[in-house]
C-alpha cells in the first residue's frame, strides 16, 4: 500500500511540473574539491592531465540554472511554443556565463578572464583588438551582447539545416511515447523501493532506492527496441558495456511541498567504489521561475561580419596573438 501511495504521489508531482508554463531548474553538484581530485586519481590520468585544483574548486561550487517559458503548459509544448529561455553558470565569486533567448534575439555574457584562468588559456585584452572586433570587445569585458537568431540562420551560422539538408531525424510519436513511459514505470515499480516520510515545514519526502546497474540495465531493455527512432549518434550502451558498472544501491530523495516537487537529491558516493569519496551527490531544485527578460544595453554582435572581417583580418597575426596567449 505504501509503495503504491508513494508512486502515485511522485507521478502526480511530476505531472504538476508539466502543467506549468514557466519553470526553473537549479543543478548543484554536492561535493568538494578533495572528492573530485580523488575521483580523478581513480581514473588514472596521464601525467600532466590531472584535474587542476582551480577546476576542482569551481566544479565543487558551481551551479547551473535553467529557466524555460512557454505559451502552453510545458508538457504540451513544442519548440515553437517556447517564448523565452535562460541559462546561467555561477560560482561563489559571481556568474561565469549567462545565456538568454527572448523573441528573435539571443543574449550572452561571460566572465572571460575567470574562464581563461580556469582553463589555462588567458585571452588578450579588449583594447588590443582591432576596430573590426566591434561588440566582441564587450564580450571580453563581460558585458551583455546580443545577436539576431534569424539573421544567423540566413547567414548559415546557426547550425540549422537548409532545404538541401537531410530530413530531420525521426521522433517518437505520441502513442509510442505513452507505451514507453508505461514500460519504464513498470520497471521502476518492480525494481525501486519507494517510501514516504514527513519532513520539516509541512514537506513530504519520497525516497527511491534501487541497485544502480540492475535498474539501468532493465530500463535500457525497454528503450532499446526504439533505438531506431532516436536521434543519430545516440548509441545506447549494451549489457556488456554495463557489466562492470557498480550495482550498489543508490537513493534519490524527492521533496514535495503541497504535492509539488521542489527538490531532488541523489547520493552517488557508493558508485565511486572508493572510501576516499565520502560526499558525492546531485541536487536539483525546481521553482516557478521568473520570465526571462532582455538585458538592457546589450550591443548587437554581427557574427557574419566578425567571421568574415574580424577573424579573417590580416591584423590578426601570430605576432599579436600567439597560440599560448589566445
Amino acid at each position: 500500500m505504501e509503495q503504491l501511495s508513494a508512486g502515485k504521489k511522485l507521478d502526480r508531482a511530476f505531472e504538476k511540473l508539466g502543467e506549468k508554463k514557466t519553470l526553473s531548474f537549479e543543478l548543484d553538484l554536492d561535493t568538494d574539491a578533495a572528492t573530485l581530485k580523488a575521483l580523478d586519481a581513480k581514473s588514472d590520468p596521464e601525467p600532466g592531465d590531472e584535474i587542476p585544483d582551480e577546476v576542482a574548486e569551481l566544479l565543487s561550487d558551481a551551479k547551473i540554472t535553467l529557466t524555460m517559458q512557454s505559451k502552453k503548459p510545458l508538457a504540451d509544448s513544442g519548440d515553437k511554443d517556447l517564448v523565452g529561455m535562460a541559462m546561467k553558470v555561477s560560482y561563489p565569486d559571481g556568474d561565469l556565463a549567462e545565456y538568454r533567448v527572448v523573441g528573435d534575439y539571443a543574449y550572452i555574457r561571460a566572465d572571460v578572464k575567470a574562464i581563461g584562468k580556469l582553463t589555462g588559456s588567458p585571452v588578450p585584452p579588449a583594447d588590443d583588438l582591432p576596430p573590426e572586433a566591434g561588440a566582441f570587445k564587450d564580450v571580453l569585458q563581460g558585458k551583455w551582447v546580443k545577436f539576431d537568431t534569424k539573421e544567423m540562420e540566413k547567414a548559415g551560422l546557426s547550425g540549422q539545416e537548409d532545404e538541401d539538408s537531410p530530413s530531420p531525424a525521426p521522433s517518437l510519436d505520441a502513442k509510442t511515447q505513452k507505451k514507453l513511459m508505461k514500460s519504464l514505470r513498470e520497471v521502476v515499480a518492480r525494481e525501486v523501493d519507494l517510501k514516504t516520510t514527513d519532513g520539516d515545514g509541512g514537506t513530504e519526502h519520497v525516497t527511491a532506492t534501487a541497485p544502480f546497474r540492475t535498474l539501468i540495465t532493465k530500463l535500457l531493455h525497454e528503450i532499446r527496441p526504439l533505438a531506431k527512432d532516436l536521434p543519430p549518434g545516440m548509441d545506447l550502451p549494451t549489457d556488456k558495456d554495463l557489466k562492470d558498472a557498480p550495482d550498489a544501491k543508490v537513493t534519490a530523495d524527492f521533496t514535495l511541498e503541497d504535492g509539488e516537487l521542489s527538490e531532488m537529491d541523489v547520493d552517488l558516493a557508493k558508485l565511486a567504489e572508493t572510501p576516499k569519496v565520502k560526499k558525492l551527490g546531485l541536487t536539483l531544485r525546481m521553482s516557478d521561475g521568473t520570465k526571462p527578460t532582455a538585458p538592457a544595453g546589450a550591443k548587437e554582435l554581427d557574427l557574419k561580419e566578425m567571421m568574415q572581417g574580424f577573424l579573417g583580418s590580416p591584423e590578426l597575426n601570430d605576432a599579436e596573438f600567439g597560440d599560448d596567449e589566445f
Side-chain angles (χ1 to χ4, degrees):
M1 186 67 178
E2 182 182 24
Q3 179 89 353
L4 180 62
S5 176
K8 283 187 174 181
K9 288 178 180 178
L10 207 51
D11 277 348
R12 181 56 187 149
F14 277 104
E15 288 173 1
K16 285 187 174 183
L17 289 182
E19 294 169 0
K20 297 180 181 294
K21 293 183 179 179
T22 303
L23 185 63
S24 286
F25 299 90
E26 182 185 86
L27 180 63
D28 184 5
L29 183 61
D30 186 17
T31 186
D32 52 37
T35 294
L36 295 179
K37 296 281 285 184
L39 285 172
D40 182 56
K42 190 174 184 293
S43 66
D44 295 325
E46 294 292 330
D49 290 339
E50 299 88 356
I51 184 172
D53 292 343
E54 296 87 351
V55 175
E57 289 286 350
L58 169 66
L59 291 176
S60 65
D61 293 327
K63 293 181 181 179
I64 299 175
T65 305
L66 174 66
T67 300
M68 295 180 293
Q69 181 191 13
S70 175
K71 295 180 290 186
K72 298 179 180 180
L74 289 169
D76 303 322
S77 296
D79 290 342
K80 294 182 179 180
D81 300 312
L82 296 177
V83 294
M85 189 276 285
M87 185 177 71
K88 180 170 65 175
V89 181
S90 57
Y91 69 127
D93 291 341
D95 298 331
L96 272 180
E98 188 169 1
Y99 177 76
R100 300 180 192 175
V101 178
V102 182
D104 294 333
Y105 278 89
Y107 302 81
I108 189 170
R109 69 183 176 99
D111 187 341
V112 180
K113 290 183 178 179
I115 294 174
K117 182 179 179 181
L118 290 167
T119 59
S121 301
V123 297
D127 292 340
D128 290 349
L129 297 181
E132 290 87 348
F136 192 70
K137 289 186 177 182
D138 282 24
V139 175
L140 297 187
Q141 292 172 346
K143 298 178 181 179
W144 280 106
V145 296
K146 65 180 182 179
F147 52 88
D148 189 322
T149 54
K150 289 187 176 181
E151 288 301 317
M152 282 185 64
E153 292 179 15
K154 292 178 183 178
L157 296 171
S158 65
Q160 298 292 324
E161 296 171 340
D162 56 31
E163 295 179 357
D164 298 326
S165 297
S167 58
S171 58
L172 303 180
D173 57 61
K175 183 178 180 180
T176 304
Q177 288 183 39
K178 289 182 178 180
K179 181 180 178 182
L180 175 60
M181 290 307 299
K182 181 176 182 294
S183 299
L184 296 181
R185 285 181 177 181
E186 289 175 353
V187 171
V188 171
R190 290 195 308 266
E191 304 297 335
V192 179
D193 179 28
L194 296 172
K195 293 182 180 179
T196 58
T197 57
D198 293 330
D200 297 330
T203 62
E204 188 174 22
H205 291 264
V206 176
T207 58
T209 304
F212 178 75
R213 184 177 66 243
T214 300
L215 179 61
I216 294 299
T217 300
K218 294 194 175 182
L219 288 174
L220 286 173
H221 280 175
E222 301 297 333
I223 299 173
R224 199 166 284 119
L226 304 173
K228 65 181 184 299
D229 296 321
L230 296 176
M234 288 188 63
D235 297 326
L236 298 176
T238 64
D239 289 351
K240 184 178 180 180
D241 294 330
L242 295 172
K243 69 180 182 66
D244 293 329
D247 208 27
K249 288 188 176 182
V250 175
T251 297
D253 186 310
F254 301 88
T255 302
L256 309 183
E257 295 183 12
D258 297 325
E260 293 191 5
L261 184 61
S262 62
E263 185 172 316
M264 179 182 72
D265 297 279
V266 184
D267 185 359
L268 303 172
K270 291 182 180 179
L271 298 184
E273 297 183 315
T274 171
K276 293 183 178 180
V277 174
K278 303 183 183 300
K279 182 182 180 183
L280 181 61
L282 284 175
T283 297
L284 181 65
R285 301 179 184 90
M286 281 70 69
S287 65
D288 289 342
T290 56
K291 177 183 176 181
T293 58
K299 290 184 180 180
E300 186 160 357
L301 185 66
D302 190 327
L303 296 183
K304 183 177 181 180
E305 181 180 318
M306 185 186 74
M307 294 290 288
Q308 295 178 349
F310 168 45
L311 294 182
S313 172
E315 296 181 44
L316 285 178
N317 52 48
D318 292 340
E320 294 183 15
F321 299 112
D323 291 340
D324 292 338
E325 184 179 5
F326 191 69

